[in-house]
């Protein structure tokens, strides 16, 4: 706490003595499925008085995306997916401002591929699984991340519920069948995208657990002969 107070006082003295506003700190891009959110941390100043402006370079001229915002993030999802983009952000205090902090961002290289969806159906001693590619931000609802990249496979792993032993499977298509499973047993499945040409892996999905069934119909329970209980003589 004492260290934070010293940092805050130092920042205030810097502004008052030299007319300088410290720049935003820890500026980074958080991008998943081309939802591109530039984030930063406020410098050591009274945060309620600071605002921020964030821009990107377009045709040799910087364009505003967020201006005089009190938030510490800005949405750049409208950027082209291809090519390197120069982004920058600065802090502002009344009529003064900090230096710009620049970063370079290439969406198609740097975005993280989010977890796929899954549909799991239990059939005889097997699980039938359909993978659903994650959707792409700012595109038509039928447009997915699979439309962007020219190589696309699914890394899947499955395990018996409660077991630590997991079995990996590489799936070239959107449908996979796990056969010869134990009947009436709950298995869990998890999947992520892998791009071989990019050597890039996506985020794992949440596990989906489903109980298998048997291909042998259950035998009907034997009928019991009713017991006649006579009253005592």
């Amino acid at each position: 706490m004492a260290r934070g107070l010293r940092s805050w006082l130092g920042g205030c003295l810097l502004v008052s003595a030299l007319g300088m506003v410290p720049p935003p700190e820890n500026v980074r891009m958080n991008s998943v499925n081309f939802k591109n959110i530039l984030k930063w941390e406020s410098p050591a100043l009274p945060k309620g008085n600071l605002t921020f402006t964030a821009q990107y370079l377009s045709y040799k001229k910087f364009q505003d995306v967020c201006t005089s915002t009190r938030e510490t993030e800005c949405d750049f999802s409208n950027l082209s997916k291809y090519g390197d983009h120069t982004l920058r952000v600065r802090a502002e205090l009344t009529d003064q401002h900090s230096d710009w902090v620049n970063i370079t961002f290439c969406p198609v290289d740097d975005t993280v591929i989010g977890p796929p969806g899954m549909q799991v159906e239990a059939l005889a001693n097997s699980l039938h699984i359909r993978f659903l590619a994650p959707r792409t931000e700012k595109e038509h609802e039928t447009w997915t991340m699979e439309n962007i990249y020219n190589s696309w496979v699914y890394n899947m792993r499955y395990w018996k519920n409660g077991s630590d032993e997991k079995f990996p499977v590489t799936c070239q298509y959107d449908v996979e069948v796990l056969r010869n499973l134990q009947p009436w047993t709950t298995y869990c499945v998890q999947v992520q995208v892998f791009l071989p040409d990019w050597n890039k892996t996506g985020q794992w999905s949440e596990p989906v657990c489903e109980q298998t069934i048997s291909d042998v119909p259950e035998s009907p329970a034997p009928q019991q002969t009713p017991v006649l209980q006579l009253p005592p003589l």
Side-chain angles (χ1 to χ4, degrees):
M1 183 175 178
R3 181 180 179 182
L5 180 60
R6 288 197 300 270
S7 178
W8 180 83
L9 290 173
C12 292
L13 291 173
L14 185 64
V15 172
S16 60
L18 302 177
M20 295 174 58
V21 178
E25 300 173 353
N26 193 22
V27 179
R28 73 274 187 196
M29 175 58 73
N30 185 343
S31 177
V32 179
N33 297 338
F34 298 106
K35 184 175 180 64
N36 310 320
I37 307 298
L38 184 69
K39 296 189 174 188
W40 59 87
E41 294 173 7
S42 180
L45 283 173
K47 296 182 180 180
N49 298 327
L50 279 179
T51 61
F52 302 92
T53 292
Q55 303 176 331
Y56 75 99
L57 184 61
S58 176
Y59 300 105
K60 299 183 180 182
K61 182 179 180 181
F62 278 96
Q63 304 288 334
D64 289 335
V65 178
C66 296
T67 56
S68 301
T69 178
R70 296 187 184 277
E71 302 295 328
T72 54
E73 63 180 43
C74 184
D75 192 337
F76 282 82
S77 300
N78 285 323
L79 290 175
S80 168
K81 297 175 180 59
Y82 305 99
D84 291 334
H85 300 279
T86 299
L87 317 180
R88 66 182 189 179
V89 60
R90 73 180 184 186
E92 301 154 340
L93 184 64
T94 60
D95 59 344
Q96 302 174 22
H97 59 78
S98 72
D99 292 335
W100 291 102
V101 179
N102 291 35
I103 69 166
T104 301
F105 169 61
C106 178
V108 75
D109 288 339
D110 299 334
T111 197
V112 175
I113 299 176
M118 273 192 301
Q119 296 173 347
V120 182
E121 182 182 7
L123 295 177
N125 294 350
S126 63
L127 292 179
H128 292 237
I129 305 163
R130 179 178 294 276
F131 307 118
L132 306 172
R135 290 177 53 186
T136 305
E137 186 73 12
K138 298 292 185 180
E139 296 288 357
H140 189 271
E141 61 181 11
T142 61
W143 197 261
T144 71
M145 296 292 286
E146 193 172 4
N147 297 111
I148 305 297
Y149 297 95
N150 54 11
S151 66
W152 186 278
V153 298
Y154 292 100
N155 287 337
M156 183 181 68
R157 57 191 182 192
Y158 70 98
W159 63 96
K160 289 182 184 179
N161 192 27
S163 172
D164 293 330
E165 185 178 11
K166 298 184 178 181
F167 304 96
V169 180
T170 299
C171 311
Q172 302 289 337
Y173 304 103
D174 294 340
V175 175
E176 183 69 23
V177 180
L178 299 178
R179 305 181 189 276
N180 301 318
L181 302 178
Q182 293 183 4
W184 312 115
T185 303
T186 299
Y187 288 86
C188 297
V189 182
Q190 203 173 19
V191 66
Q192 69 174 177
V193 171
F194 175 62
L195 306 179
D197 291 353
W198 301 70
N199 194 26
K200 183 173 183 174
T201 54
Q203 296 174 331
W204 283 103
S205 67
E206 290 296 320
V208 175
C209 299
E210 191 75 23
Q211 186 184 54
T212 58
I213 60 177
S214 176
D215 59 354
V216 178
E218 289 188 282
S219 301
Q223 295 185 352
Q224 294 183 350
T225 303
V227 176
L228 179 60
Q229 185 176 16
L230 298 176
L233 294 177

PDB file of all heavy atoms in Angstrom, residues 34 80-85 104-111 200:
ATOM      1  N   PHE A  34     -11.157 -12.867 -33.694  1.00  0.00           N
ATOM      2  CA  PHE A  34     -11.148 -11.538 -34.316  1.00  0.00           C
ATOM      3  C   PHE A  34     -11.985 -10.514 -33.561  1.00  0.00           C
ATOM      4  O   PHE A  34     -12.297  -9.450 -34.119  1.00  0.00           O
ATOM      5  CB  PHE A  34     -11.569 -11.606 -35.794  1.00  0.00           C
ATOM      6  CG  PHE A  34     -10.636 -12.426 -36.628  1.00  0.00           C
ATOM      7  CD1 PHE A  34     -11.004 -13.679 -37.073  1.00  0.00           C
ATOM      8  CD2 PHE A  34      -9.360 -11.967 -36.940  1.00  0.00           C
ATOM      9  CE1 PHE A  34     -10.142 -14.458 -37.836  1.00  0.00           C
ATOM     10  CE2 PHE A  34      -8.481 -12.735 -37.697  1.00  0.00           C
ATOM     11  CZ  PHE A  34      -8.879 -13.986 -38.143  1.00  0.00           C
ATOM     12  N   SER A  80      -9.167  -4.768 -40.622  1.00  0.00           N
ATOM     13  CA  SER A  80      -8.977  -5.839 -41.587  1.00  0.00           C
ATOM     14  C   SER A  80      -8.243  -6.999 -40.920  1.00  0.00           C
ATOM     15  O   SER A  80      -7.352  -6.800 -40.095  1.00  0.00           O
ATOM     16  CB  SER A  80      -8.171  -5.345 -42.786  1.00  0.00           C
ATOM     17  OG  SER A  80      -7.748  -6.430 -43.589  1.00  0.00           O
ATOM     18  N   LYS A  81      -8.618  -8.224 -41.297  1.00  0.00           N
ATOM     19  CA  LYS A  81      -7.999  -9.397 -40.700  1.00  0.00           C
ATOM     20  C   LYS A  81      -6.574  -9.601 -41.173  1.00  0.00           C
ATOM     21  O   LYS A  81      -5.817 -10.364 -40.562  1.00  0.00           O
ATOM     22  CB  LYS A  81      -8.834 -10.643 -41.020  1.00  0.00           C
ATOM     23  CG  LYS A  81     -10.235 -10.609 -40.437  1.00  0.00           C
ATOM     24  CD  LYS A  81     -11.035 -11.803 -40.883  1.00  0.00           C
ATOM     25  CE  LYS A  81     -12.434 -11.783 -40.301  1.00  0.00           C
ATOM     26  NZ  LYS A  81     -13.193 -10.580 -40.680  1.00  0.00           N
ATOM     27  N   TYR A  82      -6.183  -8.958 -42.250  1.00  0.00           N
ATOM     28  CA  TYR A  82      -4.897  -9.241 -42.878  1.00  0.00           C
ATOM     29  C   TYR A  82      -3.990  -8.027 -42.797  1.00  0.00           C
ATOM     30  O   TYR A  82      -4.432  -6.875 -42.828  1.00  0.00           O
ATOM     31  CB  TYR A  82      -5.121  -9.654 -44.331  1.00  0.00           C
ATOM     32  CG  TYR A  82      -6.085 -10.812 -44.448  1.00  0.00           C
ATOM     33  CD1 TYR A  82      -7.422 -10.599 -44.757  1.00  0.00           C
ATOM     34  CD2 TYR A  82      -5.671 -12.119 -44.186  1.00  0.00           C
ATOM     35  CE1 TYR A  82      -8.315 -11.659 -44.833  1.00  0.00           C
ATOM     36  CE2 TYR A  82      -6.554 -13.187 -44.257  1.00  0.00           C
ATOM     37  CZ  TYR A  82      -7.878 -12.947 -44.581  1.00  0.00           C
ATOM     38  OH  TYR A  82      -8.763 -13.997 -44.636  1.00  0.00           O
ATOM     39  N   GLY A  83      -2.682  -8.292 -42.705  1.00  0.00           N
ATOM     40  CA  GLY A  83      -1.691  -7.231 -42.648  1.00  0.00           C
ATOM     41  C   GLY A  83      -1.432  -6.766 -41.228  1.00  0.00           C
ATOM     42  O   GLY A  83      -2.191  -7.045 -40.293  1.00  0.00           O
ATOM     43  N   ASP A  84      -0.305  -6.058 -41.077  1.00  0.00           N
ATOM     44  CA  ASP A  84       0.078  -5.511 -39.773  1.00  0.00           C
ATOM     45  C   ASP A  84      -0.595  -4.158 -39.564  1.00  0.00           C
ATOM     46  O   ASP A  84      -0.620  -3.316 -40.468  1.00  0.00           O
ATOM     47  CB  ASP A  84       1.599  -5.336 -39.696  1.00  0.00           C
ATOM     48  CG  ASP A  84       2.327  -6.669 -39.648  1.00  0.00           C
ATOM     49  OD1 ASP A  84       1.715  -7.654 -39.179  1.00  0.00           O
ATOM     50  OD2 ASP A  84       3.495  -6.728 -40.082  1.00  0.00           O
ATOM     51  N   HIS A  85      -1.100  -3.960 -38.363  1.00  0.00           N
ATOM     52  CA  HIS A  85      -1.744  -2.694 -37.997  1.00  0.00           C
ATOM     53  C   HIS A  85      -0.963  -2.053 -36.856  1.00  0.00           C
ATOM     54  O   HIS A  85      -0.547  -2.741 -35.909  1.00  0.00           O
ATOM     55  CB  HIS A  85      -3.182  -2.921 -37.548  1.00  0.00           C
ATOM     56  CG  HIS A  85      -4.052  -3.550 -38.593  1.00  0.00           C
ATOM     57  ND1 HIS A  85      -4.629  -2.829 -39.620  1.00  0.00           N
ATOM     58  CD2 HIS A  85      -4.432  -4.833 -38.783  1.00  0.00           C
ATOM     59  CE1 HIS A  85      -5.346  -3.648 -40.389  1.00  0.00           C
ATOM     60  NE2 HIS A  85      -5.226  -4.865 -39.906  1.00  0.00           N
ATOM     61  N   THR A 104       2.072  -3.205 -32.500  1.00  0.00           N
ATOM     62  CA  THR A 104       1.759  -3.743 -33.831  1.00  0.00           C
ATOM     63  C   THR A 104       0.938  -5.010 -33.662  1.00  0.00           C
ATOM     64  O   THR A 104       1.252  -5.851 -32.818  1.00  0.00           O
ATOM     65  CB  THR A 104       3.048  -4.041 -34.616  1.00  0.00           C
ATOM     66  OG1 THR A 104       3.802  -2.833 -34.747  1.00  0.00           O
ATOM     67  CG2 THR A 104       2.716  -4.580 -36.006  1.00  0.00           C
ATOM     68  N   PHE A 105      -0.091  -5.145 -34.496  1.00  0.00           N
ATOM     69  CA  PHE A 105      -1.021  -6.259 -34.354  1.00  0.00           C
ATOM     70  C   PHE A 105      -1.428  -6.753 -35.739  1.00  0.00           C
ATOM     71  O   PHE A 105      -1.831  -5.967 -36.600  1.00  0.00           O
ATOM     72  CB  PHE A 105      -2.257  -5.782 -33.570  1.00  0.00           C
ATOM     73  CG  PHE A 105      -3.413  -6.744 -33.558  1.00  0.00           C
ATOM     74  CD1 PHE A 105      -3.277  -8.012 -33.020  1.00  0.00           C
ATOM     75  CD2 PHE A 105      -4.645  -6.360 -34.062  1.00  0.00           C
ATOM     76  CE1 PHE A 105      -4.352  -8.891 -32.994  1.00  0.00           C
ATOM     77  CE2 PHE A 105      -5.724  -7.219 -34.046  1.00  0.00           C
ATOM     78  CZ  PHE A 105      -5.578  -8.489 -33.504  1.00  0.00           C
ATOM     79  N   CYS A 106      -1.277  -8.067 -35.959  1.00  0.00           N
ATOM     80  CA  CYS A 106      -1.728  -8.701 -37.205  1.00  0.00           C
ATOM     81  C   CYS A 106      -2.835  -9.690 -36.839  1.00  0.00           C
ATOM     82  O   CYS A 106      -2.556 -10.770 -36.299  1.00  0.00           O
ATOM     83  CB  CYS A 106      -0.581  -9.425 -37.905  1.00  0.00           C
ATOM     84  SG  CYS A 106      -1.096 -10.273 -39.419  1.00  0.00           S
ATOM     85  N   PRO A 107      -4.095  -9.361 -37.092  1.00  0.00           N
ATOM     86  CA  PRO A 107      -5.204 -10.211 -36.619  1.00  0.00           C
ATOM     87  C   PRO A 107      -5.110 -11.666 -37.043  1.00  0.00           C
ATOM     88  O   PRO A 107      -5.293 -12.560 -36.214  1.00  0.00           O
ATOM     89  CB  PRO A 107      -6.441  -9.514 -37.204  1.00  0.00           C
ATOM     90  CG  PRO A 107      -6.037  -8.079 -37.326  1.00  0.00           C
ATOM     91  CD  PRO A 107      -4.592  -8.111 -37.708  1.00  0.00           C
ATOM     92  N   VAL A 108      -4.841 -11.949 -38.308  1.00  0.00           N
ATOM     93  CA  VAL A 108      -4.875 -13.340 -38.759  1.00  0.00           C
ATOM     94  C   VAL A 108      -3.765 -14.164 -38.118  1.00  0.00           C
ATOM     95  O   VAL A 108      -3.901 -15.378 -37.943  1.00  0.00           O
ATOM     96  CB  VAL A 108      -4.804 -13.409 -40.302  1.00  0.00           C
ATOM     97  CG1 VAL A 108      -3.390 -13.122 -40.813  1.00  0.00           C
ATOM     98  CG2 VAL A 108      -5.314 -14.739 -40.823  1.00  0.00           C
ATOM     99  N   ASP A 109      -2.673 -13.526 -37.731  1.00  0.00           N
ATOM    100  CA  ASP A 109      -1.587 -14.222 -37.034  1.00  0.00           C
ATOM    101  C   ASP A 109      -1.802 -14.277 -35.531  1.00  0.00           C
ATOM    102  O   ASP A 109      -1.478 -15.278 -34.883  1.00  0.00           O
ATOM    103  CB  ASP A 109      -0.247 -13.531 -37.308  1.00  0.00           C
ATOM    104  CG  ASP A 109       0.250 -13.751 -38.726  1.00  0.00           C
ATOM    105  OD1 ASP A 109      -0.197 -14.715 -39.360  1.00  0.00           O
ATOM    106  OD2 ASP A 109       1.086 -12.950 -39.187  1.00  0.00           O
ATOM    107  N   ASP A 110      -2.327 -13.199 -34.961  1.00  0.00           N
ATOM    108  CA  ASP A 110      -2.302 -13.026 -33.512  1.00  0.00           C
ATOM    109  C   ASP A 110      -3.596 -13.398 -32.808  1.00  0.00           C
ATOM    110  O   ASP A 110      -3.575 -13.627 -31.587  1.00  0.00           O
ATOM    111  CB  ASP A 110      -1.947 -11.574 -33.168  1.00  0.00           C
ATOM    112  CG  ASP A 110      -0.583 -11.159 -33.692  1.00  0.00           C
ATOM    113  OD1 ASP A 110       0.272 -12.051 -33.861  1.00  0.00           O
ATOM    114  OD2 ASP A 110      -0.366  -9.953 -33.930  1.00  0.00           O
ATOM    115  N   THR A 111      -4.705 -13.430 -33.522  1.00  0.00           N
ATOM    116  CA  THR A 111      -5.955 -13.743 -32.819  1.00  0.00           C
ATOM    117  C   THR A 111      -5.931 -15.177 -32.307  1.00  0.00           C
ATOM    118  O   THR A 111      -5.288 -16.064 -32.890  1.00  0.00           O
ATOM    119  CB  THR A 111      -7.177 -13.523 -33.731  1.00  0.00           C
ATOM    120  OG1 THR A 111      -8.363 -13.445 -32.923  1.00  0.00           O
ATOM    121  CG2 THR A 111      -7.344 -14.649 -34.739  1.00  0.00           C
ATOM    122  N   LYS A 200      -0.620 -23.683 -34.990  1.00  0.00           N
ATOM    123  CA  LYS A 200      -1.375 -22.842 -34.055  1.00  0.00           C
ATOM    124  C   LYS A 200      -2.502 -23.658 -33.443  1.00  0.00           C
ATOM    125  O   LYS A 200      -3.257 -24.312 -34.158  1.00  0.00           O
ATOM    126  CB  LYS A 200      -1.933 -21.636 -34.815  1.00  0.00           C
ATOM    127  CG  LYS A 200      -2.686 -20.616 -33.983  1.00  0.00           C
ATOM    128  CD  LYS A 200      -3.020 -19.418 -34.857  1.00  0.00           C
ATOM    129  CE  LYS A 200      -3.701 -18.328 -34.060  1.00  0.00           C
ATOM    130  NZ  LYS A 200      -3.906 -17.098 -34.856  1.00  0.00           N
TER     131      LYS A 200
END
